[in-house]
Amino acid sequence: MANKSKFQAIRGTRDLLPPDTALWNRVEQTAHELFTTYGFGEIRPPIFEPTDLFARAVGGDTDIVGKEMYTFPDHNLRDLEAALYPICNPAIDLDDPKDLMALVADLRVFLEQFAVHQKQDEVPKTSENASAVARLHTLAEKIDSLRLAAEDMDLMSWHALFQEVSAAAKEIRLGDMVSLRPEATASVCRAYIEHNMQQLPQPVKLYYMGPMFRRERPQKGRYRQFYQIGAEILGGPDAPAIDAELIEMLMTFFDKCGLQGTELSINSIGHAADNCRRGYVAKLREELLKVKDKLGADSQRRIETNPLRVLDSKLEHEQPIIATLPRIADHLCDECRAHYAAVKHNLDLRGVAYRENWRLVRGLDYYMRTTFEITAQGLGSQNAVCGGGRYDGLVELLGGPPTKGIGFAIGEDRLILSLQEGGKMLAARGPDVLIAWMGQNAYATAIRAAKTLRNAGFRVELPATELKFGKALERASKLGSRFALILGDNEIQSGEWTLKNLATSEQQKLSEQALLEYLRG
Ligand code: ATP
Ligand code: MG
């Protein structure tokens, strides 16, 4: 057992290490190269953004925003924070008038400090802050005056008053709320608007890769810091070919990575109108209410909040019930039906195989029409390696011009897991050459030789301290080096270096130039 150190990676996070990172790099390189051939450029948005951006884009009612985001107020006002704490959490002994006076004193101190920081523009000037501070001022005065007649107040009234103080104090935000990004589509749309990308030739094609953060229960293929590779197409014509080409690129990517057992599912969820999805959802809710008693608690709740999500259920006993529910394909409006048919036709033209899955829904309001998901093998129940869909309303929702949008996000951790399960490990690569040098004379030459060889692209191990000949060879074979370059006094004098092939134990003498040519060959 390894020693347990005091510090360990936080639950749900992990170190990616060699040789695995070589596979990560290869996957990412494949994405860079392939996406470029489809006309995509890379965007690197920040890793934290205003909480409101995600609340607005992803949706305040979703699990992601509701309970999975890492959110914190962005400020450095430790003194003010410390002053706020006892007001948020008043520990008062009601029988002790000293405590009452202390609370009022704390309140006054906080309000004074708050005013100072506000003058220096260090706290957010929001209407929430303004009204909370006004309430605290009123409460301070009220307690002050009542305190004089404390005997007349019953315990319950005091208690209610403290609750009021605490509630108002908890409304105060010392800094703007920011969140670690749980996904990147919102950021890409924010950037599109911020940089006026609607003035560029449309559509704008962007891809990204990097860590995302969601506070979920960690398990195989599910982490709190995980990585996504995603792409978005923003703006441009209303053409089903765009959806199909994006999916073609995605499937080509998985193919180039060597991912096995991929399955593409597609669906259309129409658009938010009474003669389309809204009508369907109403019908679905009606049918769900008839079978409510047979459903689990989650699904029962979703009948009210988001009936579409019921279709997502993995619960065994709900499956036969769900199979009898009305299907969205029968409720699409003419335009959405035509769009879906055209997407399928365009996939056929490109030779992309797909399976239609009427239960494939995205739970967020902004998604519309095309949705898709790719599963791969070897991942157990966490087998979705990619999710995507069309979101024509999102840019507008974030304050931009009406803009079409479609994108996907690949779960890179799951992609790598599946590649590894499928035997697509990259073997750990040892050095090409370990330089076994002996003596200070040889050391200078060894340094130069290492530089030259590395310059030519070879992996070179140059021991930092002089090793006995046997030890150097032992190190070379432990590292899995292909060759040992032996540099001692003899080699320096003659200019003929000794190269030992560690697999065959053959040795030969070579000049510096000949050595380079030999290794290249
Ligand atoms: P799931 O249903 O598996 O929770 P999701 O619908 O939340 O997935 P998306 O938000 O569509 O996932 O993200 C796209 C992809 O990102 C998923 O298909 C998955 O491969 C990956 N992913 C999502 N959450 C995690 C996580 N916590 N850890 C690792 N990968 C994840
Ligand atoms: Mg999820």
Side-chain angles (χ1 to χ4, degrees):
M1 272 300 270
N3 272 344
K4 267 212 169 159
S5 108
K6 183 172 160 215
F7 296 112
Q8 287 178 308
I10 288 173
R11 185 170 141 82
T13 75
R14 62 204 178 121
D15 301 304
L16 305 174
L17 300 169
D20 292 355
T21 36
L23 186 55
W24 283 76
N25 280 325
R26 200 189 67 187
V27 159
E28 288 167 13
Q29 196 52 37
T30 304
H32 286 302
E33 284 165 14
L34 178 71
F35 294 180
T36 306
T37 68
Y38 278 81
F40 283 75
E42 187 184 3
I43 177 172
R44 299 192 188 192
I47 277 173
F48 58 102
E49 300 254 18
T51 304
D52 282 347
L53 173 67
F54 302 116
R56 180 84 67 88
V58 181
D61 293 337
T62 58
D63 281 355
I64 293 182
V65 170
K67 52 185 199 204
E68 295 174 0
M69 276 207 302
Y70 286 93
T71 297
F72 53 94
D74 181 20
H75 69 81
N76 197 13
L77 305 170
R78 300 293 157 233
D79 58 336
L80 199 52
E81 193 175 50
L84 182 57
Y85 184 82
I87 312 168
C88 288
N89 311 282
I92 305 277
D93 179 353
L94 293 173
D95 290 335
D96 189 346
K98 278 211 309 293
D99 277 2
L100 295 179
M101 285 164 70
L103 176 68
V104 182
D106 286 345
L107 197 45
R108 295 261 185 236
V109 167
F110 169 76
L111 288 170
E112 236 164 70
Q113 284 190 16
F114 187 89
V116 171
H117 286 291
Q118 196 166 38
K119 213 176 251 162
Q120 289 163 359
D121 258 344
E122 287 170 341
V123 288
K125 284 204 168 99
T126 58
S127 57
E128 287 85 357
N129 272 355
S131 79
V133 165
R135 259 164 69 209
L136 285 176
H137 272 294
T138 314
L139 286 165
E141 248 132 67
K142 194 167 167 189
I143 297 175
D144 241 353
S145 62
L146 287 175
R147 198 159 45 85
L148 303 172
E151 326 60 274
D152 302 340
M153 286 264 289
D154 63 89
L155 233 60
M156 291 303 285
S157 316
W158 276 119
H159 193 73
L161 209 48
F162 295 140
Q163 296 275 303
E164 257 186 87
V165 170
S166 159
K170 282 176 181 159
E171 294 284 299
I172 290 191
R173 294 281 168 271
L174 300 185
D176 296 321
M177 296 309 278
V178 300
S179 296
L180 301 186
R181 63 183 187 190
E183 56 107 55
T185 303
S187 304
V188 175
C189 291
R190 195 250 323 121
Y192 180 88
I193 301 166
E194 187 169 337
H195 303 286
N196 283 317
M197 290 192 218
Q198 71 273 13
Q199 285 166 11
L200 301 174
Q202 305 291 301
V204 172
K205 304 185 198 176
L206 296 168
Y207 75 94
Y208 61 83
M209 51 184 75
M212 307 294 156
F213 305 86
R214 295 183 196 174
R215 201 170 185 293
E216 315 194 60
R217 191 169 68 79
Q219 48 193 297
K220 183 185 175 193
R222 197 177 286 288
Y223 310 97
R224 290 181 171 183
Q225 174 172 340
F226 63 102
Y227 294 78
Q228 284 186 340
I229 299 176
E232 319 284 351
I233 302 180
L234 291 164
D238 190 6
I242 289 183
D243 308 39
E245 195 183 70
L246 184 73
I247 295 173
E248 175 200 303
M249 178 175 91
L250 183 59
M251 298 314 285
T252 308
F253 169 70
F254 285 137
D255 210 40
K256 282 192 184 289
C257 290
L259 189 66
Q260 286 161 7
T262 53
E263 229 178 77
L264 164 67
S265 306
I266 63 168
N267 192 21
S268 173
I269 55 167
H271 76 296
D274 288 342
N275 67 342
C276 201
R277 184 171 64 230
R278 237 184 263 140
Y280 168 69
V281 169
K283 181 102 186 69
L284 185 63
R285 179 174 284 138
E286 211 175 280
E287 293 303 313
L288 283 169
L289 283 171
K290 291 183 194 160
V291 293
K292 185 171 179 182
D293 296 343
K294 298 185 195 138
L295 298 172
D298 277 346
S299 292
Q300 288 198 2
R301 190 167 35 81
R302 287 180 177 141
I303 297 178
E304 293 315 321
T305 58
N306 197 342
L308 281 179
R309 289 297 282 195
V310 176
L311 305 181
D312 226 11
S313 159
K314 309 270 188 306
L315 287 183
E316 202 60 52
H317 81 274
E318 292 184 346
Q319 301 309 311
I321 305 170
I322 293 172
T324 67
L325 293 170
R327 305 183 170 206
I328 191 156
D330 303 326
H331 295 81
L332 294 178
C333 67
D334 291 345
E335 288 81 14
C336 285
R337 187 192 312 276
H339 186 273
Y340 187 34
V343 170
K344 288 186 281 186
H345 175 61
N346 269 279
L347 286 172
D348 293 337
L349 285 177
R350 289 168 168 77
V352 177
Y354 56 85
R355 197 168 62 86
E356 287 182 74
N357 176 6
W358 70 278
R359 289 177 53 179
L360 181 64
V361 294
R362 315 241 81 203
L364 318 178
D365 279 352
Y366 65 69
Y367 275 111
M368 59 177 293
R369 293 192 167 170
T370 314
T371 59
F372 54 95
E373 182 176 277
I374 290 102
T375 53
Q377 64 181 28
L379 294 172
S381 55
Q382 260 62 251
N383 66 350
V385 286
C386 178
R390 179 160 281 288
Y391 49 82
D392 289 354
L394 183 54
V395 170
E396 203 175 352
L397 186 72
L398 297 177
T403 307
K404 308 222 162 291
I406 183 169
F408 63 73
I410 297 164
E412 195 179 354
D413 307 73
R414 292 186 196 174
L415 168 58
I416 299 280
L417 259 175
S418 181
L419 289 174
Q420 289 174 335
E421 300 273 323
K424 286 269 176 328
M425 285 287 288
L426 286 191
R429 288 175 80 192
D432 295 309
V433 181
L434 179 137
I435 303 181
W437 58 273
M438 277 139 274
Q440 284 308 306
N441 261 345
Y443 185 46
T445 307
I447 290 173
R448 198 169 46 75
K451 243 188 209 168
T452 311
L453 288 170
R454 284 170 176 154
N455 228 344
F458 295 107
R459 296 186 303 277
V460 177
E461 191 63 24
L462 177 66
T465 56
E466 182 167 348
L467 297 177
K468 293 225 166 63
F469 187 60
K471 277 266 179 262
L473 289 188
E474 199 182 302
R475 162 96 52 97
S477 70
K478 260 194 196 149
L479 290 173
S481 186
R482 287 164 59 213
F483 297 99
L485 175 63
I486 297 154
L487 294 181
D489 286 341
N490 286 345
E491 280 80 7
I492 304 306
Q493 264 158 28
S494 66
E496 291 281 296
W497 299 354
T498 306
L499 187 70
K500 184 180 170 91
N501 182 322
L502 290 161
T504 63
S505 289
E506 276 166 343
Q507 264 182 220
Q508 55 182 317
K509 296 266 184 193
L510 294 164
S511 71
E512 183 172 357
Q513 191 51 41
L515 171 77
L516 265 179
E517 271 153 33
Y518 177 80
L519 288 175
R520 280 203 182 105

